[in-house]
Amino acid sequence: MASGSVEDLVETLRCLPGVGPKSAQRMALHLLQRDRAGATRLGEALLRAMEQVVHCERCRIFTERQPCRWCSDENRHAGEVCVVESPADVLAIDRSTDYRGRFFLLLGHLSPLDGVGPADLGLDLFENQLDAGEIEEVTLATNQTVEGLATARYIADLCARRQVPVLQIARGVPVGSELEFADGGTLSVAFAERSRVVG
Amino acid sequence: MASGSVEDLVETLRCLPGVGPKSAQRMALHLLQRDRAGATRLGEALLRAMEQVVHCERCRIFTERQPCRWCSDENRHAGEVCVVESPADVLAIDRSTDYRGRFFLLLGHLSPLDGVGPADLGLDLFENQLDAGEIEEVTLATNQTVEGLATARYIADLCARRQVPVLQIARGVPVGSELEFADGGTLSVAFAERSRVVG
């Protein structure tokens, strides 16, 4: 666009996930033409967030203060810990369930081929909390993928060695879905883990 | 996410076109977790662009200096003007054609129902340039939509009144396409505006 600033803007917009050269150009032109105030607010919000947001030293969630809102919430049971992979999982669980313990974020899953080991997931910190007796019960809510399940297995072992009870979230056919469209793996788990209703 | 800065970031990301609450959250978490340097660069680029980028006084394109790179390029024929709706059109034309005149940007099209009249498209500026004899030939390259064509018609009339020659870009079946999949309107124009190859 004949202008270094505009080219820079298009180029830097590509750091957003899912934004390629065409979308970046469309976004830049949209902001310049129709929403300069919004773009200025976005620029300021980006700089402020990158400067001020850190990981909670206790649960690794994004926060501006130590400990984070979740870990310092006195209405939450500090001994109950739900282990999840990503911050988005925390938001989803908080929106939809009545879980009232705290969280522990892995920010990923075990992946030896990519060089992601237990320390990269903060599991040394988690073990310290187990050893210090800060954790009375663990709920595993990693993704139901091969990597997520392997990571859950690893954490369950850490807890078992210290006699800390571990729960896992229920697996089965999604609520509101039709059996016809459930995949085989889900259906198989739903039958293997069926529960008694009467008798 | 327990943090005002993160919530602000998610909220302000929604000023980007096509970004809803879910994408905004995904983008914010991605930047915080994986690309803080990129996010900082993006924030700076946004603020710099919004502060420094203005419209060229001659052609209305986005620029940091007056006149813009296109209008001050001595290798371009200043008397030839190509009228387009958006900055993206300029980039596309520059990338794919050997057009070597300058541009004039409408930044929209005539739309009386939305209150967009000739002055909103900078056509008073365009008329001044016509009256000053700065324009020797006009190429109309507005979109082939009802509004784009109506706008082109209006501009052609402005030029006709001053005996300035006007060209329009060719319409027809896209290169590389199959006739079977061309829409009726395109096919109809392709036949109405067919050109003689032999004799």
Side-chain angles (χ1 to χ4, degrees):
Chain A
M1 194 87 1
S3 154
S5 295
V6 181
E7 281 151 14
D8 279 357
L9 178 55
V10 172
E11 187 53 39
T12 51
L13 277 166
R14 295 188 55 192
C15 74
L16 297 172
V19 175
K22 279 223 154 182
S23 308
Q25 183 188 303
R26 191 167 55 91
M27 287 176 166
L29 298 178
H30 169 90
L31 294 175
L32 282 164
Q33 203 167 331
R34 299 189 203 286
D35 195 5
R36 286 185 176 233
T40 302
R41 278 198 304 278
L42 173 56
E44 289 163 353
L46 277 163
L47 295 179
R48 197 170 53 243
M50 296 310 137
E51 197 183 297
Q52 298 185 350
V53 176
V54 293
H55 291 289
C56 172
E57 286 165 3
R58 190 141 188 242
C59 72
R60 314 214 318 150
I61 204 168
F62 295 122
T63 182
E64 277 167 293
R65 54 175 188 186
Q66 299 289 2
C68 72
R69 185 180 62 161
W70 315 84
C71 289
S72 59
D73 183 347
E74 297 189 353
N75 292 318
R76 290 187 169 266
H77 195 287
E80 275 181 51
V81 177
C82 175
V83 179
V84 296
E85 292 186 30
S86 88
D89 301 333
V90 173
L91 299 182
I93 291 170
D94 213 48
R95 203 162 41 228
S96 313
T97 77
D98 57 359
Y99 173 74
R100 297 298 291 164
R102 63 181 180 91
F103 292 92
F104 188 88
L105 272 86
L106 303 172
L107 300 173
H109 45 241
L110 289 178
S111 182
L113 290 180
D114 300 321
V116 180
D120 301 304
L121 305 182
L123 288 177
D124 43 353
L125 176 63
F126 185 76
E127 282 195 81
N128 290 345
Q129 293 178 15
L130 280 174
D131 289 333
E134 291 175 25
I135 301 180
E136 294 156 23
E137 183 184 277
V138 171
T139 300
L140 298 173
T142 53
N143 291 331
Q144 299 296 312
T145 57
V146 174
E147 297 88 351
L149 292 173
T151 309
R153 185 70 255 164
Y154 182 91
I155 296 169
D157 287 343
L158 293 182
C159 299
R161 259 180 260 151
R162 288 144 176 115
Q163 280 91 40
V164 171
V166 178
L167 293 85
Q168 69 175 4
I169 56 169
R171 305 181 299 167
V173 181
V175 174
S177 69
E178 298 182 37
L179 280 201
E180 183 183 347
F181 302 114
D183 64 290
T186 298
L187 217 47
S188 160
V189 166
F191 271 76
E193 301 181 2
R194 64 197 157 173
S195 59
R196 198 166 292 277
V197 180
V198 175
Chain B
M1 195 87 1
S3 155
S5 295
V6 181
E7 281 151 13
D8 279 358
L9 178 55
V10 172
E11 187 54 40
T12 52
L13 276 166
R14 295 187 55 193
C15 74
L16 297 172
V19 175
K22 279 223 153 181
S23 307
Q25 183 188 303
R26 192 167 54 90
M27 286 176 167
L29 297 179
H30 169 88
L31 293 175
L32 282 165
Q33 203 168 330
R34 298 189 203 285
D35 196 6
R36 287 187 176 232
T40 302
R41 279 198 303 277
L42 172 56
E44 289 163 353
L46 277 163
L47 296 179
R48 196 171 55 242
M50 296 310 137
E51 195 183 299
Q52 298 184 351
V53 176
V54 294
H55 291 288
C56 172
E57 286 165 4
R58 190 143 188 241
C59 74
R60 314 215 317 149
I61 205 169
F62 294 122
T63 183
E64 279 168 291
R65 53 175 189 186
Q66 300 286 3
C68 71
R69 185 180 62 160
W70 315 83
C71 288
S72 59
D73 183 346
E74 296 189 355
N75 292 320
R76 291 186 169 266
H77 195 288
E80 276 180 51
V81 177
C82 175
V83 179
V84 296
E85 292 186 30
S86 89
D89 301 334
V90 172
L91 298 182
I93 291 170
D94 213 48
R95 202 162 41 227
S96 313
T97 77
D98 57 359
Y99 174 74
R100 299 296 291 166
R102 63 182 181 92
F103 292 92
F104 188 88
L105 272 86
L106 303 173
L107 299 173
H109 45 241
L110 289 178
S111 182
L113 291 180
D114 300 319
V116 180
D120 301 303
L121 305 182
L123 289 176
D124 43 353
L125 176 64
F126 185 76
E127 282 195 80
N128 290 346
Q129 293 179 14
L130 280 173
D131 289 333
E134 292 175 25
I135 300 177
E136 293 156 24
E137 183 184 277
V138 170
T139 299
L140 298 173
T142 54
N143 291 331
Q144 299 296 312
T145 55
V146 174
E147 298 88 350
L149 293 171
T151 309
R153 184 72 254 162
Y154 182 91
I155 296 169
D157 286 344
L158 293 182
C159 298
R161 261 180 258 150
R162 286 139 175 123
Q163 281 91 43
V164 171
V166 178
L167 294 84
Q168 70 175 1
I169 57 170
R171 306 182 297 167
V173 181
V175 174
S177 69
E178 298 182 36
L179 280 201
E180 183 181 348
F181 302 114
D183 65 291
T186 299
L187 218 48
S188 159
V189 165
F191 271 77
E193 300 181 2
R194 64 196 157 173
S195 60
R196 195 166 295 274
V197 180
V198 175

